[in-house]
Amino acid sequence: QVTLVESGGGSVQAGGSLRLSCEASGLTYRTYCMGWFRQVPGKEREGVAAIFTEGGPVHYGDSFKDRFTISQDNAKSTVYLQMNSLEPEDTAMYYCAADLYGRRPCRPAENVFSHWGQGTQVTVSS
């Protein structure tokens, strides 16, 4: 059974930084596409970034590349999201996701991913 556990969320003032972590367990293959998404209540989920767990090219959603960085540690089965220069508009629930089937390119799009974590809340105050 695959589980994804996010951590690192919290409250921060505008201009601050946070690093989110997503630890995966139950993965059986060498590499998986994993991604970060965020969602504000009442709005659609946004794709932030995606990366293979063994590394390689990363892909960012529109408007995320400048301040957000996705990275991975395959030995720890963990994917990170470094968020800098946070703005109140970044307040959202952040979700980690994994693609167990590899049927689509590794991109931060919802239809790529088959498994989701419970999310970690990020709140940015002005």
Side-chain angles (χ1 to χ4, degrees):
Q1 180 179 356
V2 174
T3 59
L4 305 174
V5 179
E6 302 98 332
S7 61
S11 297
V12 64
Q13 288 192 328
S17 299
L18 284 174
R19 188 175 83 153
L20 307 183
S21 299
C22 172
E23 183 174 0
S25 61
L27 301 178
T28 57
Y29 294 110
R30 186 169 61 92
T31 188
Y32 293 86
C33 175
M34 293 186 67
W36 284 99
F37 292 75
R38 73 181 188 185
Q39 189 170 25
V40 175
K43 295 189 176 181
E44 293 186 354
R45 192 172 294 182
E46 293 183 277
V48 178
I51 190 172
F52 279 107
T53 53
E54 66 173 358
V58 301
H59 298 277
Y60 292 92
D62 293 342
S63 76
F64 293 108
K65 187 173 183 178
D66 291 340
R67 298 182 295 117
F68 291 15
T69 303
I70 190 171
S71 61
Q72 47 67 241
D73 185 335
N74 208 22
K76 296 181 180 180
S77 298
T78 299
V79 175
Y80 305 97
L81 185 67
Q82 177 68 42
M83 306 185 295
N84 299 326
S85 302
L86 284 163
E87 303 168 352
E89 293 73 23
D90 296 316
T91 296
M93 185 71 80
Y94 285 73
Y95 296 92
C96 174
D99 170 25
L100 268 57
Y101 304 113
R103 295 172 183 167
R104 292 184 171 90
C106 187
R107 299 288 190 274
E110 280 193 74
N111 64 358
V112 170
F113 297 93
S114 56
H115 286 68
W116 296 82
Q118 294 299 307
T120 185
Q121 177 68 37
V122 171
T123 302
V124 184
S125 58
S126 57

